[in-house]
């Protein structure tokens, strides 16, 4: 009935359950199902359906856009262009016009915090040229980007949105993911998309976050009621991203004369945390740069002062991304039970001495980013995720990225990383029963079956978590996730006892 009833030796299990159906997995590996704690389902689905600009060159990406546009009716949504892969180049308005003449085209950067828009799409946004982040030919950022994104979403039909959401959830199930946290909001996917997702009825569990600031407990309760959201958290933007020069910094970028973009001031951030804490609603923010993280920590401190630590911890407030956290801030976050929802794939893509982070911030600041070990040492609950479509869905890839950090001393062990995409991610989504994300009697029977090579017990030399490799210690091994080792292949995904994916 959807619950684990026995884990142990065959003989005892068969004696206790003589009528049970037996499935021989022929040596496959069974593990708790993954939870992706930060996704954007419609954007992911559209990306999976072929709207990609992620080719190694600008010319190849624009040719792919031309092909996709020719096969697509209505608005053309494309994603994934990255100047780091294109030798610094970016798509221009003229590029989009050449690839899809006269069409409404929205082409998002890989980090989803800036985008190029065709002339036809730009023309649908009144007073676009007056908004912050506007440029007549180059990609749009800030308020200008938000406006064209909303215009592109409004041009999608209900059927297109639902089809994209279902495609994303099907892909999640095919990779052993049993639950996702949708991070939406007015400028992200919009109220219509959010409502359609609530009606979808997919077997993968969906926790829906709505990122809109409130100023009172009554406002928080009313917004939660109107949207049907599970929390007023997720991508409530305090700032933007490093790649788009919009993450909010105390000191200017190394390669641009700006400190980034502030979407919420300190007063608004504090008001939201206080309102949600009073209403006992989970709050959270998108905060990447050090100045953005500082605003969130200051707001949480105000809530602790007014309501006390137990009340704040009981709400399970979240920080999404949390890329620049100081040791002092980590200590406070751990003491207050605030959860860090982070994306190891970001360091894999953009870390290292020659990566985008170092270009944007300089080597010294870049080396402080995404310090998973710092947060773990300070007992900050970790939930790892993909932020799909920014990085692809895939739990094992997330685990491997968390253990192979570019900065020595910032990685965590494979078992700590695995916990952050299973138990930790369930906890970040408000499930605190002590068994979700495990395979023990009484736990939900949500698991995946994997084709694997070697199973190993390994801790990187600089990992925060250690354990004995002596088999007598009873430490369960994990698949070999070292560089060059093939990632496990999902054979079956089961949610609450029901198979939702089975490999052909």
């Amino acid at each position: 009935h959807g619950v684990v009833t026995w884990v142990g030796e065959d003989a005892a299990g068969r004696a206790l359950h003589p009528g049970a159906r037996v499935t021989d997995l022929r040596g496959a590996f069974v593990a708790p199902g993954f939870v992706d704690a930060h996704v954007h389902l419609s954007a992911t689905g559209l990306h999976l359906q072929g709207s990609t600009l992620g080719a190694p060159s600008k010319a190849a990406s624009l040719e792919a856009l031309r092909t996709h546009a020719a096969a697509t009716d209505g608005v053309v949504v494309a994603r994934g262009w990255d100047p780091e892969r294109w030798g610094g180049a970016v798509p221009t308005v003229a590029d989009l016009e050449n690839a899809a003449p006269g069409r409404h085209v929205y082409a998002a950067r890989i980090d989803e915090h800036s985008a190029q828009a065709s002339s036809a799409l730009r023309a649908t946004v009144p007073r676009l040229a007056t908004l912050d982040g506007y440029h007549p030919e180059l990609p749009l950022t800030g308020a200008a980007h938000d406006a064209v994104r909303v215009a592109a979403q409004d041009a999608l039909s209900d059927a297109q949105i639902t089809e994209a959401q279902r495609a994303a959830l099907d892909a999640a199930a095919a990779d052993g993911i049993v639950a996702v946290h949708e991070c939406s909001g007015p400028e992200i996917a919009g109220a219509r998309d959010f409502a359609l997702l609530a009606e979808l009825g997919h077997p993968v569990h969906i926790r829906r976050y709505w990122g809109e600031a409130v100023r009172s407990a009554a406002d928080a309760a009313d917004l939660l009621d109107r949207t049907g959201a599970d929390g007023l958290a997720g991508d409530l933007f305090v700032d933007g991203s490093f790649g788009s020069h919009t993450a909010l910094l105390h000191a200017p970028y190394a390669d641009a004369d700006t400190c980034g973009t502030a979407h919420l001031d300190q007063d608004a951030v504090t008001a939201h945390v206080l309102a949600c804490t009073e209403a006992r609603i989970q709050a959270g923010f998108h905060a990447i740069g050090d100045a953005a993280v500082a605003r969130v920590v200051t707001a949480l401190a105000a809530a602790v002062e007014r309501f006390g630590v137990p009340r704040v911890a009981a709400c399970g407030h979240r920080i999404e991304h949390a890329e620049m956290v100081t040791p002092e801030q980590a200590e406070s976050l751990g003491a207050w039970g605030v959860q860090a929802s982070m994306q190891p794939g970001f360091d894999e893509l953009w870390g290292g001495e020659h990566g985008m982070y170092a270009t944007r911030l300089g080597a010294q600041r870049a080396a402080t980013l995404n310090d998973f070990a710092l947060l773990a040492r300070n007992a900050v609950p970790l939930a790892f995720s993909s932020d799909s479509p920014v990085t692809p869905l895939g739990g094992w890839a997330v685990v491997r990225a968390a253990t192979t950090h570019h900065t020595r001393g910032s990685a965590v062990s494979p078992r700590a990383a695995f916990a952050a995409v299973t138990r930790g991610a369930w906890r970040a989504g408000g499930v605190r029963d002590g068994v979700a994300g495990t395979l023990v009697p009484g736990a939900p029977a949500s698991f995946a079956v994997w084709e694997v090579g070697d199973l190993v017990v390994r801790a990187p030399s600089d990992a925060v978590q250690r354990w004995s490799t002596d088999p007598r210690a009873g430490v369960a091994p994990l698949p070999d996730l070292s560089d060059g080792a093939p990632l496990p292949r999902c054979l079956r995904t089961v949610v609450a006892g029901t198979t939702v994916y089975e490999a052909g």
Side-chain angles (χ1 to χ4, degrees), residues 12-36:
R14 290 173 189 269
L16 286 168
H17 305 282
R21 183 179 75 251
V22 176
T23 302
D24 184 357
L25 299 180
R26 295 181 173 84
F29 178 69
V30 183
F34 292 122
V35 178
D36 195 314

Side-chain angles (χ1 to χ4, degrees), residues 204-230:
V204 170
H205 179 78
I206 307 166
R207 184 170 177 86
R208 298 183 310 136
Y209 286 114
W210 185 252
E212 184 175 351
V214 295
R215 300 198 64 86
S216 71
D219 289 343
D222 178 66
L223 183 58
L224 207 69
D225 182 63
R226 285 190 288 109
T227 60
D230 295 300

